[in-house]
Amino acid sequence: MLDRLSFPQPWLSLILFITWQLLSDGISGGSLVLGFVLAWAIPQITQGFWPERPSFLNVWRMPRYLLRVIRDIVTASFQVAALILSGRRPRPRFVCYPLELEHPLAISILASTISLTPGTVSADVSDDQRTLLIHALDADSDQQVIDTIRERYEQPLLEMFPC
Amino acid sequence: MNPIAEYLVAALLLLGGAFTLVGAIGLARLPDFFTRLHGPTKATTLGVGAIMLSSVLYFSCRGEGIGISEVLITVFLFMTAPVSANLLAKAAMHIGVATMDGTEGNPWEQ
């Protein structure tokens, strides 16, 4: 019973509460109450879906990672736009990417990053969570795709989630 | 509103519109399902980003406060776009959509 009244994930609850205040027009008594209820209910309902908490998270490395991702999105968007407008045939390929990351949350962040940066979509994770299947729109070789991702995204994430 | 901000807002709107258009062209013209997946999921990233920035800039310069809701919209979009792209790709692999000639490598059979 007490379990049901607690906040299993305090940070998630805090983020939900603040997000709700930002979404509602101005902070009022009503939005505070509703925000509190949501901050309690959503973590309770989704508790079973969350992977176990990462052992240690270097949060202060996050801003640099985000800046790098944003910069890559901009430069790579121009490349994809040029490819589409030029009308030449793309050279697509499926790449099996061997993961070094082990934590499920880190893998999903890496997969989302790969999908957001133009030119690559992460299509699937193998059942043993060791390989990521990536579809690249226009790439010369498997190794080139793997090297870029390893160096630019996975290394910083490995520093954030030292397992 | 001062003229510099006005030019900046207009430029950002044009940039965002151009990228969204290119994404739509990609959706129509790329050869197979998997390559078409790249058009709309990607163009929205930069297109929506630029349009959101111009909206924030516009309302900030009008003195109606900084638009936090635009930033939230973008964050939600950036969080959900990879998930929908991933599900589309998985569904396509599951029913065995044909890939274009010259695609290197194979989708998994799982």
Side-chain angles (χ1 to χ4, degrees):
Chain A
M1 186 61 206
L2 261 181
D3 207 34
R4 283 280 152 210
L5 291 174
S6 64
F7 294 94
Q9 284 159 313
W11 288 110
L12 178 65
S13 296
L14 188 67
I15 291 170
L16 285 169
F17 184 76
I18 292 171
T19 309
W20 188 256
Q21 303 313 316
L22 294 175
L23 275 177
S24 46
D25 280 330
I27 297 170
S28 62
S31 76
L32 286 176
V33 172
L34 198 51
F36 190 76
V37 171
L38 289 174
W40 167 76
I42 293 176
Q44 286 286 357
I45 295 167
T46 57
Q47 201 177 358
F49 301 115
W50 282 88
E52 52 188 292
R53 293 269 293 270
S55 50
F56 187 63
L57 182 79
N58 293 328
V59 183
W60 58 88
R61 290 190 195 271
M62 207 68 189
R64 227 180 73 190
Y65 181 72
L66 284 179
L67 279 181
R68 165 174 289 180
V69 170
I70 290 171
R71 211 177 58 202
D72 284 4
I73 287 175
V74 174
T75 53
S77 289
F78 279 98
Q79 286 169 12
V80 172
L83 171 77
I84 290 173
L85 291 178
S86 73
R88 86 179 156 81
R89 280 175 76 81
R91 294 161 298 167
R93 55 174 63 233
F94 282 97
V95 180
C96 288
Y97 181 82
L99 284 166
E100 274 176 34
L101 291 165
E102 281 168 10
H103 195 271
L105 185 62
I107 293 175
S108 69
I109 292 178
L110 180 68
S112 300
T113 310
I114 291 168
S115 288
L116 271 181
T117 45
T120 46
V121 169
S122 47
D124 206 357
V125 187
S126 66
D127 290 336
D128 59 359
Q129 303 201 330
R130 295 213 162 273
T131 322
L132 201 62
L133 182 66
I134 297 168
H135 183 264
L137 178 60
D138 195 46
D140 293 325
S141 70
D142 289 5
Q143 203 53 45
Q144 181 210 346
V145 177
I146 291 173
D147 287 347
T148 318
I149 292 171
R150 173 139 297 151
E151 178 200 341
R152 294 197 68 80
Y153 310 123
E154 193 171 22
Q155 286 305 329
L157 279 174
L158 272 172
E159 287 168 16
M160 267 187 269
F161 293 87
C163 293
Chain B
M1 215 165 100
N2 75 50
I4 300 172
E6 239 170 89
Y7 280 116
L8 210 56
V9 167
L12 281 170
L13 277 180
L14 281 175
L15 185 74
F19 269 103
T20 313
L21 178 67
V22 169
I25 294 173
L27 180 65
R29 286 195 41 193
L30 286 170
D32 75 344
F33 177 85
F34 291 100
T35 49
R36 258 178 238 153
L37 200 56
H38 291 273
T41 51
K42 301 317 150 41
T44 46
T45 324
L46 196 60
V48 170
I51 292 171
M52 179 275 301
L53 266 182
S54 70
S55 167
V56 170
L57 204 66
Y58 179 76
F59 285 105
S60 304
C61 289
R62 287 263 306 258
E64 295 176 17
I66 297 167
I68 301 168
S69 35
E70 288 98 332
V71 182
L72 281 178
I73 293 171
T74 319
V75 170
F76 289 148
L77 204 72
F78 278 25
M79 279 163 75
T80 51
V83 179
S84 55
N86 182 251
L87 284 179
L88 282 168
K90 271 189 120 156
M93 290 194 306
H94 186 69
I95 59 173
V97 172
T99 50
M100 68 178 270
D101 298 341
T103 301
E104 301 273 333
N106 282 307
W108 287 339
E109 313 283 338
Q110 250 192 39

